[in-house]
Amino acid sequence: MSAIRPWRTIDRRPSRQIMVGKVPVGGNAPITVQTMTNTPTSDASATIAQIRRCEEAGVDIIRVSCPDQDSTAALREIVRAAEVPIVADIHFHYKRALEAADAGAACLRINPGNIGSSERVAEVVRAAKANGCSMRIGVNAGSLEKHLLEKYGEPCPEALVESALDHVRMLEEHDFREYKISVKASDVFLAVAAYTQLASELDCPLHLGITEAGGLIGGTVKSSIGLGMLLWSGIGDTIRVSLSAEPEEEVRVGYEILKSLGIRNRGVRVISCPSCARQGFDVIRTVEKLEERLQHIRTPMSLSVLGCVVNGPGEARETDIGVTGGGNGKHMVYLSGVTDHHVADEGMVDHIVRLVEQKAAEIEAAAQAQAQVLDAAE
């Protein structure tokens, strides 16, 4: 049966599945959203508080840096408190990887070439197997091995992929295949080319990211371009949007990228106009308030907010709830695409928030009822 809207179809690259704690990555599993804490990991209470904010934003997996023994000592408490799997970020010192695995990390982010000798890599693999840890091979254009830079002259897709394949061999020599790979670069073109090449050579899950992308606006744009190109072509099993911003902002941007591509939906998808002189209410300020007030909604649904009747009714017909600006401070509200009632300027935001909350409750109730029917039929 052909798709109703074939231009929306994304044929996802087949990959084998690994587990990061209880979260599947790869295969047919949903594409997961990750972030990384920026508090000192040794300060368990501050790190846990930041993890809580990321969990409220919907994060699936969180990475924490473990540069020293104080950090791995705090990791056990952090892992116990977190509701999502914790990835321990390890650089250079293999003992930190052993400590993190014993402390309950669900995954170790390592660069096997920096760990040391083959025996040290073997020790890390043994610790990962003993504790049920997966691994992420993290290749970065900014820290490529010296011999690859000498061979290729500069960071290039071939150098990133060769580094990744070298590290894969190190793990597979010790019979370890529970790994995913990233080949990140701050250059969008370089990252996309490297991931595309790697995707054709291996069947492992891929962790996508445009590293050091920049601040909230610039980094969001760069990440959206790079990750969007890869995801649209079916490449990618888990993503991190690397921003010079708080981790919860990375999570929100990550979900917006997935929502825009129709890959994964969480919370309210807002369709709003850029506003112009025709607007019947202050669209920009209204959308700002609504986005802030609706962050607690996790149920996937759509809301259109348009300032006038040029495109407003058409967009409202395609969304769960819509509001279109009218004259004399009275605006039309649409429910499930049908005109329903008017709302005045005063109290409009509060009114829309109530409607969204009611619709979310209806959707959740219907889903629960459907699940009960299916359970009874089994």
Side-chain angles (χ1 to χ4, degrees):
M1 183 176 176
S2 61
I4 297 174
R5 298 179 179 90
W7 58 88
R8 292 184 181 176
T9 301
I10 294 176
D11 294 320
R12 192 166 165 191
R13 160 187 170 266
S15 66
R16 69 174 187 269
Q17 189 173 99
I18 68 168
M19 298 299 294
V20 177
K22 295 180 180 179
V23 176
V25 175
N28 294 320
I31 294 172
T32 51
V33 176
Q34 303 192 26
T35 188
M36 187 174 184
T37 57
N38 57 32
T39 52
T41 306
S42 55
D43 186 343
S45 60
T47 302
I48 290 167
Q50 194 169 71
I51 288 172
R52 285 280 176 272
R53 293 193 293 275
C54 295
E55 288 172 340
E56 289 171 4
V59 75
D60 299 299
I61 298 169
I62 293 186
R63 179 160 48 114
V64 303
S65 184
C66 292
D68 49 42
Q69 202 164 1
D70 288 342
S71 297
T72 53
L75 191 61
R76 195 175 301 274
E77 180 183 351
I78 293 168
V79 168
R80 281 200 305 264
E83 296 178 2
V84 297
I86 299 296
V87 178
D89 193 75
I90 309 296
H91 285 282
F92 302 115
H93 210 305
Y94 80 103
K95 286 190 176 179
R96 301 294 85 80
L98 306 182
E99 293 160 1
D102 289 340
C107 180
L108 304 175
R109 189 276 190 191
I110 65 169
N111 182 328
N114 289 342
I115 293 297
S117 65
S118 178
E119 179 50 39
R120 287 184 174 180
V121 174
E123 279 194 63
V124 174
V125 168
R126 284 195 292 270
K129 287 182 175 180
N131 291 280
C133 290
S134 56
M135 292 195 202
R136 170 157 76 92
I137 296 171
V139 177
N140 194 301
S143 56
L144 275 172
E145 295 91 328
K146 184 179 178 181
H147 75 276
L148 290 174
L149 289 175
E150 290 174 350
K151 177 179 178 179
Y152 291 100
E154 64 176 1
C156 61
E158 292 77 13
L160 289 170
V161 171
E162 184 171 332
S163 177
L165 295 177
D166 286 345
H167 295 148
V168 163
R169 279 190 287 273
M170 289 183 192
L171 295 184
E172 295 205 344
E173 281 174 0
H174 299 287
D175 193 32
F176 191 87
R177 300 193 79 233
E178 296 300 304
Y179 58 82
K180 50 194 170 83
I181 302 179
S182 62
V183 281
K184 295 186 178 182
S186 58
D187 182 305
V188 172
F189 300 99
L190 174 55
V192 170
Y195 275 112
T196 302
Q197 182 178 331
L198 186 64
S200 67
E201 300 199 24
L202 294 173
D203 71 342
C204 66
L206 297 182
H207 170 113
L208 301 189
I210 306 299
T211 195
E212 293 118 22
L216 183 57
I217 294 178
T220 294
V221 172
K222 280 183 72 173
S223 295
S224 298
I225 293 169
L227 300 187
M229 290 170 68
L230 290 165
L231 292 166
W232 194 14
S233 65
I235 295 172
D237 303 285
T238 184
I239 67 171
R240 183 210 173 175
V241 178
S242 298
L243 302 175
S244 299
E246 292 304 316
E248 53 266 40
E249 296 297 338
E250 294 187 350
V251 177
R252 294 185 184 110
V253 173
Y255 269 102
E256 288 300 325
I257 291 172
L258 295 180
K259 283 159 66 174
S260 294
L261 291 168
I263 292 172
R264 191 170 172 194
N265 292 314
R266 182 189 187 277
V268 181
R269 178 171 59 90
V270 178
I271 296 167
S272 59
C273 66
S275 80
C276 69
R278 292 191 303 267
Q279 65 182 356
F281 58 89
D282 189 338
V283 173
I284 293 174
R285 245 53 64 187
T286 298
V287 170
E288 285 177 352
K289 292 175 185 175
L290 286 170
E291 287 184 334
E292 178 66 28
R293 295 273 302 275
L294 296 174
Q295 285 185 14
H296 66 293
I297 301 293
R298 299 187 178 190
T299 308
M301 58 185 300
S302 54
L303 168 67
S304 59
V305 182
L306 284 95
C308 76
V309 296
V310 173
N311 294 319
E315 293 290 357
R317 280 196 291 271
E318 303 296 322
T319 54
D320 294 304
I321 296 170
V323 59
T324 296
N328 300 318
K330 293 185 68 177
H331 318 296
M332 178 58 71
V333 175
Y334 300 74
L335 301 180
S336 300
V338 179
T339 55
D340 193 85
H341 60 276
H342 287 90
V343 63
D345 279 329
E346 186 178 355
M348 182 172 72
V349 169
D350 290 337
H351 183 70
I352 295 172
V353 169
R354 284 195 297 271
L355 290 176
V356 169
E357 290 174 338
Q358 290 168 7
K359 183 65 177 180
E362 291 172 12
I363 293 171
E364 292 299 320
Q368 189 173 7
Q370 179 66 20
Q372 291 173 346
V373 170
L374 292 174
D375 289 341
E378 290 180 354

